[in-house]
Amino acid sequence: PPRPLPHAPSRPLRRPLPITASPTITASLLAYTFNQDATCLAIGTDRGYQIFTCEPWASAHSCSEGGVGVVELLHSSSLVALVGAGTRPGESTRRLVMLNTRTNTSICELNFSSSVLRVRMNASRLLVVLETRTHIFELSSMKLLHTLETAPNRLGLE
């Protein structure tokens, strides 16, 4: 039987990796993450993001409307958290967008005072990591529960 895929944290890559979708279109990989049970993979590129199912391997959803520097999935649901890559206007690294991929609608947008470095979700909480703060939200209402001051954390480690 196939071995389970390891959980890979969503993190910005030190150097963007080129991805070729077709002979004429290339994109640079900026971030990647598996969902909580490693059944889906999401990638963020300078051209958008794409979600794949791992077994069988197939594209489940994609969007090519701007760079995505942080992407996070909630299990196998249609809820996705996205942060812009900051390469073009409108793709702020300080704005988190919660998106329903089934209806392709924005559920909410959160703006922060500095760049969002990492996002994590579970069934009840949303964790947003900035360089010197970590914000914890209630996922159902997006109510801010706690803000934790942290030591400088340029890599967005949890």
Side-chain angles (χ1 to χ4, degrees):
R3 294 182 7 208
L5 295 170
H7 178 73
S10 177
R11 60 173 62 106
L13 300 174
R14 291 183 192 261
R15 256 184 326 170
L17 300 173
I19 298 174
T20 303
S22 73
T24 59
I25 300 173
T26 61
S28 293
L29 179 65
L30 302 176
Y32 65 94
T33 189
F34 285 94
N35 64 345
Q36 289 80 358
D37 60 1
T39 58
C40 296
L41 170 70
I43 62 167
T45 72
D46 62 344
R47 296 179 179 263
Y49 69 96
Q50 192 158 5
I51 301 169
F52 299 92
T53 57
C54 294
E55 186 116 359
W57 181 260
S59 177
H61 181 80
S62 66
C63 179
S64 57
E65 295 179 9
V68 174
V70 177
V71 59
E72 178 72 9
L73 305 169
L74 178 62
H75 299 287
S76 295
S77 73
S78 60
L79 185 62
V80 177
L82 303 168
V83 178
T87 54
R88 291 182 277 217
E91 297 174 9
S92 175
T93 60
R94 297 184 299 164
R95 182 177 36 223
L96 170 76
V97 177
M98 300 297 291
L99 183 73
N100 180 329
T101 59
R102 190 170 297 129
T103 61
N104 206 28
T105 56
S106 174
I107 296 168
C108 75
E109 292 185 13
L110 300 172
N111 292 296
F112 298 93
S113 59
S114 62
S115 294
V116 175
L117 302 176
R118 177 134 340 159
V119 176
R120 286 285 179 257
M121 286 190 280
N122 67 22
S124 60
R125 300 288 185 259
L126 170 73
L127 183 87
V128 180
V129 179
L130 311 178
E131 185 175 340
T132 60
R133 289 188 184 98
T134 298
H135 299 285
I136 302 170
F137 294 88
E138 182 177 325
L139 190 58
S140 62
S141 66
M142 297 307 293
K143 176 184 172 188
L144 179 63
L145 300 175
H146 301 287
T147 297
L148 306 170
E149 297 293 326
T150 64
N153 181 10
R154 289 183 180 90
L155 299 177
L157 303 176
E158 300 155 353

